[in-house]
Amino acid sequence: MHRYSQPFIFAMASCLACGSILHAQESGDTTPAISVFQKDQTDIAVDKGLAYLISKQRDDGAIIDKGIDTTMTALSIMAMASVGTQPVDETPEGRTMQKALAFVLKDDRIDDKGYFGNKDGSRMYGHGIITLMLTEMLGMGATSEQDQLIHDRCQKAIDVILSSQKEKKATHYRGGWRYNPNANDSDLSVSVWQLMALRSAKNDGLQVPGSAISDAVEYLKRSYASPLDANGLPDQKASGFCYEPHQNNPTFTMTAAGLLAMQVCGEYESPLVAGAADWLLAHPPKWNERFCSYGTYYYAQGMYQRGGEHAKTAEQLVQEMLLAKQSADGSWLAENGEERNHGAVYCTSMAVLSLSVKYHYLPIYQK
Protein backbone atom coordinates (compact mmCIF):
# COMPACT_ATOMS: atom_id res chain seq x y z
CA MET A 1 0.00 0.00 0.00
CA HIS A 2 1.43 3.36 -0.96
CA ARG A 3 1.92 6.21 1.51
CA TYR A 4 -0.65 8.38 -0.25
CA SER A 5 -4.05 8.56 1.38
CA GLN A 6 -5.85 8.44 -1.95
CA PRO A 7 -9.29 9.65 -0.81
CA PHE A 8 -7.68 12.54 1.07
CA ILE A 9 -5.43 13.49 -1.84
CA PHE A 10 -8.33 13.23 -4.27
CA ALA A 11 -10.58 15.38 -2.10
CA MET A 12 -7.95 18.03 -1.51
CA ALA A 13 -6.92 18.12 -5.16
CA SER A 14 -10.55 18.48 -6.16
CA CYS A 15 -11.02 21.31 -3.70
CA LEU A 16 -7.95 23.11 -5.00
CA ALA A 17 -9.11 22.64 -8.56
CA CYS A 18 -12.57 24.05 -7.95
CA GLY A 19 -11.25 26.91 -5.86
CA SER A 20 -12.89 26.10 -2.53
CA ILE A 21 -12.16 24.32 0.73
CA LEU A 22 -14.35 23.00 3.52
CA HIS A 23 -13.97 24.18 7.09
CA ALA A 24 -15.94 23.89 10.31
CA GLN A 25 -17.71 27.01 11.47
CA GLU A 26 -16.41 28.54 14.69
CA SER A 27 -19.91 29.34 15.94
CA GLY A 28 -20.33 25.82 17.22
CA ASP A 29 -22.46 24.74 14.28
CA THR A 30 -20.89 21.50 13.06
CA THR A 31 -22.36 21.90 9.58
CA PRO A 32 -19.47 22.33 7.12
CA ALA A 33 -19.36 25.71 5.42
CA ILE A 34 -17.82 26.66 2.11
CA SER A 35 -14.96 29.15 2.11
CA VAL A 36 -13.58 30.48 -1.16
CA PHE A 37 -9.97 29.49 -1.77
CA GLN A 38 -8.21 32.39 -3.40
CA LYS A 39 -5.35 31.37 -5.64
CA ASP A 40 -2.20 33.40 -5.11
CA GLN A 41 0.48 34.20 -7.67
CA THR A 42 2.30 30.93 -7.03
CA ASP A 43 -0.85 28.86 -7.59
CA ILE A 44 -1.50 30.69 -10.84
CA ALA A 45 2.11 30.24 -11.99
CA VAL A 46 1.95 26.52 -11.25
CA ASP A 47 -1.33 26.18 -13.17
CA LYS A 48 0.23 27.92 -16.17
CA GLY A 49 3.31 25.71 -15.93
CA LEU A 50 1.22 22.54 -15.91
CA ALA A 51 -0.82 23.79 -18.86
CA TYR A 52 2.44 24.26 -20.76
CA LEU A 53 3.53 20.69 -19.99
CA ILE A 54 0.17 19.37 -21.17
CA SER A 55 0.60 21.26 -24.43
CA LYS A 56 3.89 19.45 -25.07
CA GLN A 57 2.53 15.92 -24.91
CA ARG A 58 3.10 13.86 -28.06
CA ASP A 59 0.57 11.41 -29.46
CA ASP A 60 2.56 8.53 -27.92
CA GLY A 61 2.26 10.06 -24.44
CA ALA A 62 5.76 11.49 -24.08
CA ILE A 63 6.04 15.06 -22.76
CA ILE A 64 9.04 16.57 -24.47
CA ASP A 65 10.35 19.54 -26.43
CA LYS A 66 13.94 18.36 -26.92
CA GLY A 67 15.57 14.98 -26.23
CA ILE A 68 15.71 12.37 -23.44
CA ASP A 69 12.01 11.61 -23.74
CA THR A 70 11.50 9.01 -21.00
CA THR A 71 13.28 11.09 -18.37
CA MET A 72 11.57 14.36 -19.29
CA THR A 73 8.20 12.62 -19.24
CA ALA A 74 8.99 11.24 -15.78
CA LEU A 75 9.88 14.72 -14.51
CA SER A 76 6.62 16.06 -15.94
CA ILE A 77 4.65 13.33 -14.17
CA MET A 78 6.35 14.21 -10.89
CA ALA A 79 5.50 17.87 -11.43
CA MET A 80 1.83 17.01 -11.91
CA ALA A 81 1.80 14.66 -8.91
CA SER A 82 3.41 17.35 -6.76
CA VAL A 83 0.20 19.40 -6.88
CA GLY A 84 -2.12 16.46 -6.24
CA THR A 85 -2.93 15.26 -9.76
CA GLN A 86 -3.59 11.52 -10.15
CA PRO A 87 -3.82 9.36 -13.28
CA VAL A 88 -7.42 8.48 -12.37
CA ASP A 89 -8.53 12.12 -12.39
CA GLU A 90 -11.05 12.95 -15.11
CA THR A 91 -9.30 16.23 -15.86
CA PRO A 92 -6.91 17.35 -18.61
CA GLU A 93 -4.07 16.95 -16.10
CA GLY A 94 -5.19 13.47 -15.06
CA ARG A 95 -5.60 12.25 -18.63
CA THR A 96 -2.22 13.69 -19.59
CA MET A 97 -0.62 11.99 -16.61
CA GLN A 98 -2.23 8.64 -17.40
CA LYS A 99 -1.02 8.76 -20.98
CA ALA A 100 2.47 9.88 -19.91
CA LEU A 101 2.72 7.09 -17.36
CA ALA A 102 1.71 4.54 -20.00
CA PHE A 103 4.54 5.84 -22.20
CA VAL A 104 7.16 5.40 -19.47
CA LEU A 105 5.86 1.88 -18.78
CA LYS A 106 6.16 0.72 -22.40
CA ASP A 107 8.31 -2.38 -22.86
CA ASP A 108 10.76 -0.61 -25.14
CA ARG A 109 11.71 1.97 -22.49
CA ILE A 110 13.89 -0.50 -20.55
CA ASP A 111 16.36 -3.27 -21.21
CA ASP A 112 16.11 -6.84 -19.95
CA LYS A 113 17.68 -5.95 -16.61
CA GLY A 114 15.25 -3.10 -15.93
CA TYR A 115 17.63 -0.27 -16.83
CA PHE A 116 15.99 2.88 -18.22
CA GLY A 117 19.15 4.78 -19.09
CA ASN A 118 19.92 3.28 -22.50
CA LYS A 119 16.78 3.95 -24.53
CA ASP A 120 16.74 7.74 -24.18
CA GLY A 121 20.48 8.18 -23.54
CA SER A 122 19.97 9.54 -20.04
CA ARG A 123 22.22 6.93 -18.36
CA MET A 124 22.04 6.62 -14.57
CA TYR A 125 20.78 10.18 -14.21
CA GLY A 126 17.60 9.31 -16.05
CA HIS A 127 17.37 5.89 -14.46
CA GLY A 128 17.32 7.43 -10.98
CA ILE A 129 14.75 10.06 -11.94
CA ILE A 130 12.43 7.57 -13.64
CA THR A 131 12.75 5.09 -10.78
CA LEU A 132 11.97 7.78 -8.21
CA MET A 133 8.88 8.80 -10.16
CA LEU A 134 7.63 5.22 -10.39
CA THR A 135 8.19 4.56 -6.68
CA GLU A 136 6.23 7.72 -5.88
CA MET A 137 3.42 6.60 -8.20
CA LEU A 138 3.20 3.07 -6.78
CA GLY A 139 -0.42 2.45 -5.86
CA MET A 140 -1.53 5.44 -7.93
CA GLY A 141 -2.01 3.75 -11.31
CA ALA A 142 -5.18 4.22 -13.33
CA THR A 143 -5.94 0.48 -13.14
CA SER A 144 -4.89 -2.51 -11.06
CA GLU A 145 -2.97 -3.81 -14.07
CA GLN A 146 -1.04 -0.56 -14.33
CA ASP A 147 -0.32 -0.67 -10.59
CA GLN A 148 1.13 -4.15 -10.96
CA LEU A 149 3.26 -3.03 -13.89
CA ILE A 150 4.55 -0.04 -11.90
CA HIS A 151 5.47 -2.42 -9.05
CA ASP A 152 7.31 -4.80 -11.36
CA ARG A 153 9.19 -2.00 -13.11
CA CYS A 154 10.09 -0.45 -9.75
CA GLN A 155 11.67 -3.54 -8.25
CA LYS A 156 13.73 -4.30 -11.37
CA ALA A 157 14.87 -0.68 -11.58
CA ILE A 158 15.79 -0.70 -7.89
CA ASP A 159 17.77 -3.91 -8.42
CA VAL A 160 19.80 -2.11 -11.11
CA ILE A 161 20.60 0.68 -8.62
CA LEU A 162 21.57 -1.81 -5.90
CA SER A 163 23.77 -3.80 -8.27
CA SER A 164 25.47 -0.64 -9.51
CA GLN A 165 26.25 0.46 -5.96
CA LYS A 166 28.09 -2.82 -5.35
CA GLU A 167 30.54 -2.36 -8.23
CA LYS A 168 34.19 -2.42 -7.14
CA LYS A 169 35.28 1.10 -6.23
CA ALA A 170 38.00 2.91 -4.35
CA THR A 171 37.08 3.45 -0.70
CA HIS A 172 36.10 7.11 -1.07
CA TYR A 173 33.71 6.30 -3.94
CA ARG A 174 31.95 3.40 -2.21
CA GLY A 175 28.25 3.79 -1.58
CA GLY A 176 27.75 6.13 -4.54
CA TRP A 177 26.95 6.02 -8.25
CA ARG A 178 28.17 7.55 -11.52
CA TYR A 179 26.98 7.80 -15.12
CA ASN A 180 26.84 4.09 -15.98
CA PRO A 181 25.68 1.07 -13.97
CA ASN A 182 29.15 -0.51 -14.06
CA ALA A 183 31.09 2.67 -13.20
CA ASN A 184 33.94 2.32 -10.70
CA ASP A 185 33.71 5.89 -9.41
CA SER A 186 30.92 8.12 -8.05
CA ASP A 187 29.68 11.69 -7.94
CA LEU A 188 27.11 13.38 -5.72
CA SER A 189 24.86 14.62 -8.53
CA VAL A 190 24.10 11.15 -9.91
CA SER A 191 24.14 9.55 -6.47
CA VAL A 192 21.41 11.70 -4.96
CA TRP A 193 18.83 10.59 -7.55
CA GLN A 194 19.61 6.92 -6.86
CA LEU A 195 19.47 7.45 -3.12
CA MET A 196 16.13 9.24 -3.32
CA ALA A 197 14.75 6.37 -5.38
CA LEU A 198 16.02 3.81 -2.86
CA ARG A 199 14.56 5.73 0.06
CA SER A 200 11.17 6.05 -1.66
CA ALA A 201 11.21 2.37 -2.61
CA LYS A 202 12.02 1.33 0.95
CA ASN A 203 9.10 3.43 2.16
CA ASP A 204 6.95 1.52 -0.34
CA GLY A 205 8.00 -1.80 1.14
CA LEU A 206 10.10 -2.86 -1.83
CA GLN A 207 13.24 -4.91 -1.29
CA VAL A 208 15.92 -2.39 -0.32
CA PRO A 209 18.51 -3.48 2.27
CA GLY A 210 19.19 -0.93 4.99
CA SER A 211 22.91 -1.19 4.26
CA ALA A 212 22.37 0.36 0.81
CA ILE A 213 20.92 3.49 2.42
CA SER A 214 23.55 3.69 5.16
CA ASP A 215 26.41 3.16 2.67
CA ALA A 216 25.03 5.98 0.53
CA VAL A 217 24.80 8.27 3.57
CA GLU A 218 28.44 7.57 4.34
CA TYR A 219 29.28 8.54 0.77
CA LEU A 220 27.38 11.80 1.26
CA LYS A 221 29.40 12.53 4.38
CA ARG A 222 32.66 12.08 2.46
CA SER A 223 31.37 14.66 -0.04
CA TYR A 224 31.05 17.34 2.64
CA ALA A 225 33.60 20.13 2.20
CA SER A 226 34.54 20.66 5.83
CA PRO A 227 36.82 17.95 7.29
CA LEU A 228 35.20 15.80 9.98
CA ASP A 229 36.88 14.91 13.26
CA ALA A 230 36.93 11.48 14.90
CA ASN A 231 33.41 12.05 16.21
CA GLY A 232 32.07 12.97 12.77
CA LEU A 233 31.79 16.66 13.61
CA PRO A 234 32.80 19.21 10.95
CA ASP A 235 35.57 21.72 11.57
CA GLN A 236 33.46 24.53 10.14
CA LYS A 237 30.01 25.41 11.48
CA ALA A 238 28.66 26.28 8.03
CA SER A 239 29.85 24.35 4.98
CA GLY A 240 28.50 22.60 1.92
CA PHE A 241 28.68 19.52 -0.27
CA CYS A 242 30.97 18.96 -3.23
CA TYR A 243 30.61 17.15 -6.53
CA GLU A 244 33.13 14.47 -5.52
CA PRO A 245 34.48 13.24 -2.18
CA HIS A 246 37.28 14.95 -0.26
CA GLN A 247 37.08 18.25 -2.10
CA ASN A 248 36.83 21.70 -0.54
CA ASN A 249 34.83 23.62 -3.13
CA PRO A 250 31.14 23.38 -2.18
CA THR A 251 28.61 24.57 -4.73
CA PHE A 252 25.02 25.75 -4.40
CA THR A 253 23.64 22.83 -6.40
CA MET A 254 25.55 20.08 -4.62
CA THR A 255 24.94 21.57 -1.18
CA ALA A 256 21.21 21.75 -1.84
CA ALA A 257 21.19 18.16 -3.14
CA GLY A 258 23.17 16.89 -0.17
CA LEU A 259 20.94 18.74 2.28
CA LEU A 260 17.77 17.15 0.92
CA ALA A 261 19.25 13.67 0.58
CA MET A 262 20.57 13.60 4.15
CA GLN A 263 17.18 14.57 5.55
CA VAL A 264 15.25 12.15 3.35
CA CYS A 265 17.45 9.46 4.90
CA GLY A 266 16.50 10.60 8.41
CA GLU A 267 19.65 12.57 9.22
CA TYR A 268 17.70 15.60 10.43
CA GLU A 269 19.91 16.27 13.45
CA SER A 270 23.20 15.79 11.64
CA PRO A 271 25.64 18.71 12.03
CA LEU A 272 26.20 18.41 8.27
CA VAL A 273 22.52 19.20 7.70
CA ALA A 274 22.69 22.20 10.01
CA GLY A 275 25.91 23.38 8.37
CA ALA A 276 24.61 22.96 4.82
CA ALA A 277 21.37 24.79 5.59
CA ASP A 278 23.30 27.70 7.11
CA TRP A 279 25.72 27.74 4.16
CA LEU A 280 22.76 27.99 1.77
CA LEU A 281 21.40 31.00 3.63
CA ALA A 282 24.63 32.78 2.67
CA HIS A 283 24.64 31.36 -0.88
CA PRO A 284 21.07 31.64 -2.25
CA PRO A 285 20.08 30.60 -5.78
CA LYS A 286 20.95 32.90 -8.68
CA TRP A 287 19.09 32.49 -11.94
CA ASN A 288 22.14 32.87 -14.17
CA GLU A 289 24.38 30.42 -12.34
CA ARG A 290 25.17 26.90 -13.56
CA PHE A 291 22.42 24.33 -13.03
CA CYS A 292 20.17 26.83 -11.25
CA SER A 293 16.92 24.98 -12.06
CA TYR A 294 18.35 21.70 -10.81
CA GLY A 295 19.80 23.27 -7.67
CA THR A 296 16.70 25.33 -6.87
CA TYR A 297 14.58 22.16 -6.91
CA TYR A 298 16.79 20.61 -4.24
CA TYR A 299 17.11 23.92 -2.38
CA ALA A 300 13.36 24.45 -2.11
CA GLN A 301 12.68 20.91 -0.89
CA GLY A 302 15.75 20.65 1.36
CA MET A 303 15.20 23.97 3.12
CA TYR A 304 11.52 23.13 3.60
CA GLN A 305 12.60 19.95 5.35
CA ARG A 306 14.91 21.99 7.59
CA GLY A 307 12.00 24.17 8.66
CA GLY A 308 11.93 27.46 10.57
CA GLU A 309 13.62 30.51 9.12
CA HIS A 310 15.47 28.36 6.58
CA ALA A 311 12.18 27.18 5.07
CA LYS A 312 10.57 30.63 5.20
CA THR A 313 13.55 32.36 3.58
CA ALA A 314 13.92 29.73 0.85
CA GLU A 315 10.23 29.70 -0.07
CA GLN A 316 10.19 33.47 -0.46
CA LEU A 317 13.39 33.55 -2.52
CA VAL A 318 12.30 30.71 -4.79
CA GLN A 319 8.89 32.23 -5.44
CA GLU A 320 10.30 35.68 -6.16
CA MET A 321 12.92 34.33 -8.55
CA LEU A 322 10.73 31.88 -10.45
CA LEU A 323 7.65 34.06 -10.75
CA ALA A 324 9.79 36.77 -12.33
CA LYS A 325 11.27 34.34 -14.87
CA GLN A 326 8.13 32.57 -16.13
CA SER A 327 7.35 33.12 -19.81
CA ALA A 328 3.94 34.22 -21.09
CA ASP A 329 3.17 30.67 -22.29
CA GLY A 330 3.66 29.32 -18.76
CA SER A 331 7.08 27.79 -19.35
CA TRP A 332 10.47 28.43 -17.85
CA LEU A 333 13.73 28.28 -19.82
CA ALA A 334 17.08 28.36 -18.05
CA GLU A 335 19.53 31.15 -18.63
CA ASN A 336 22.59 28.96 -18.12
CA GLY A 337 23.68 27.05 -21.21
CA GLU A 338 23.88 23.57 -19.66
CA GLU A 339 20.21 23.51 -18.67
CA ARG A 340 18.93 25.68 -21.51
CA ASN A 341 20.04 22.94 -23.90
CA HIS A 342 17.65 20.54 -22.15
CA GLY A 343 14.67 22.69 -23.13
CA ALA A 344 11.61 24.20 -21.50
CA VAL A 345 9.89 20.95 -20.44
CA TYR A 346 12.86 20.20 -18.20
CA CYS A 347 13.04 23.70 -16.69
CA THR A 348 9.26 23.97 -16.31
CA SER A 349 9.05 20.63 -14.51
CA MET A 350 11.84 21.68 -12.16
CA ALA A 351 10.19 25.05 -11.52
CA VAL A 352 6.83 23.45 -10.68
CA LEU A 353 8.56 20.95 -8.37
CA SER A 354 10.36 23.85 -6.68
CA LEU A 355 7.16 25.87 -6.20
CA SER A 356 5.11 22.85 -5.11
CA VAL A 357 6.71 22.87 -1.66
CA LYS A 358 3.57 24.63 -0.40
CA TYR A 359 1.36 21.66 -1.36
CA HIS A 360 3.37 18.79 0.24
CA TYR A 361 1.81 16.04 -1.88
CA LEU A 362 4.78 13.86 -2.92
CA PRO A 363 5.56 11.50 -0.03
CA ILE A 364 9.34 11.57 -0.51
CA TYR A 365 9.38 15.31 0.26
CA GLN A 366 7.09 15.20 3.28
CA LYS A 367 8.67 15.65 6.70
Side-chain angles (χ1 to χ4, degrees):
M1 190 70 180
H2 198 269
R3 286 106 57 213
Y4 276 108
S5 170
Q6 291 196 36
F8 173 76
I9 292 294
F10 180 78
M12 286 300 293
S14 298
C15 287
L16 286 171
C18 71
S20 64
I21 57 174
L22 292 175
H23 69 86
Q25 293 177 312
E26 295 181 359
S27 63
D29 184 356
T30 56
T31 303
I34 298 295
S35 165
V36 175
F37 174 81
Q38 297 293 337
K39 290 190 175 185
D40 62 19
Q41 285 183 300
T42 300
D43 300 319
I44 295 169
V46 167
D47 286 348
K48 289 173 64 179
L50 293 177
Y52 174 80
L53 293 177
I54 291 172
S55 76
K56 292 299 175 181
Q57 187 165 49
R58 297 189 315 212
D59 291 342
D60 64 358
I63 301 175
I64 189 68
D65 62 334
K66 292 236 174 168
I68 320 180
D69 51 5
T70 319
T71 303
M72 295 307 164
T73 303
L75 282 175
S76 298
I77 292 170
M78 284 182 62
M80 293 176 188
S82 74
V83 300
T85 302
Q86 301 180 80
V88 295
D89 293 347
E90 289 299 323
T91 62
E93 292 84 1
R95 288 188 286 272
T96 298
M97 190 188 229
Q98 183 180 145
K99 195 173 177 182
L101 190 55
F103 172 79
V104 174
L105 292 170
K106 288 172 63 177
D107 290 342
D108 70 344
R109 297 293 100 192
I110 59 171
D111 66 16
D112 292 341
K113 293 182 179 179
Y115 179 48
F116 284 99
N118 278 333
K119 181 67 177 181
D120 68 355
S122 60
R123 299 185 289 179
M124 285 298 286
Y125 263 118
H127 183 79
I129 291 168
I130 296 161
T131 306
L132 174 60
M133 180 278 290
L134 290 174
T135 58
E136 290 294 284
M137 294 304 298
L138 193 58
M140 299 290 287
T143 63
S144 58
E145 291 78 14
Q146 191 173 69
D147 275 337
Q148 185 61 51
L149 187 55
I150 293 171
H151 179 278
D152 295 344
R153 291 282 195 271
C154 278
Q155 189 60 64
K156 289 191 74 173
I158 288 296
D159 290 344
V160 170
I161 294 174
L162 293 172
S163 175
S164 177
Q165 189 187 33
K166 292 177 182 177
E167 289 288 331
K168 272 193 170 182
K169 303 186 181 192
T171 302
H172 58 290
Y173 287 132
R174 290 176 189 168
W177 294 263
R178 198 69 191 262
Y179 298 124
N180 297 304
N182 61 350
N184 57 13
D185 58 352
S186 305
D187 73 60
L188 188 65
S189 184
V190 174
S191 295
V192 168
W193 285 113
Q194 319 310 316
L195 179 52
M196 299 278 281
L198 289 182
R199 182 66 262 182
S200 179
K202 192 168 181 64
N203 291 345
D204 282 332
L206 296 176
Q207 297 175 25
V208 178
S211 60
I213 305 291
S214 58
D215 287 350
V217 169
E218 289 304 309
Y219 173 76
L220 289 176
K221 292 178 180 178
R222 290 194 294 274
S223 302
Y224 197 65
S226 176
L228 308 181
D229 64 20
N231 296 316
L233 299 175
D235 291 346
Q236 303 169 36
K237 183 178 179 182
S239 187
F241 289 88
C242 304
Y243 182 64
E244 290 187 291
H246 305 315
Q247 296 181 345
N248 61 358
N249 55 339
T251 65
F252 164 73
T253 301
M254 291 299 93
T255 301
L259 172 66
L260 178 59
M262 289 284 287
Q263 292 177 104
V264 165
C265 292
E267 299 287 324
Y268 296 104
E269 304 306 317
S270 169
L272 278 64
V273 167
D278 287 346
W279 189 92
L280 286 168
L281 284 181
H283 301 82
K286 297 176 182 177
W287 185 247
N288 61 354
E289 75 178 304
R290 295 185 72 197
F291 307 112
C292 178
S293 294
Y294 182 73
T296 299
Y297 154 72
Y298 284 123
Y299 171 79
Q301 302 290 350
M303 294 292 261
Y304 162 72
Q305 292 274 335
R306 185 61 180 160
E309 285 302 311
H310 293 87
K312 184 178 179 181
T313 299
E315 184 172 15
Q316 181 178 344
L317 287 174
V318 169
Q319 289 178 357
E320 288 177 353
M321 181 179 71
L322 291 179
L323 294 183
K325 297 298 181 181
Q326 189 174 28
S327 300
D329 65 358
S331 69
W332 281 266
L333 187 59
E335 195 169 307
N336 69 86
E338 294 93 347
E339 291 183 306
R340 193 179 186 89
N341 290 336
H342 285 307
V345 165
Y346 162 78
C347 292
T348 302
S349 297
M350 286 300 194
V352 170
L353 284 165
S354 300
L355 292 171
S356 69
V357 166
K358 65 181 291 185
Y359 308 121
H360 317 314
Y361 279 122
L362 285 173
I364 190 66
Y365 303 128
Q366 294 172 3
K367 292 183 180 179

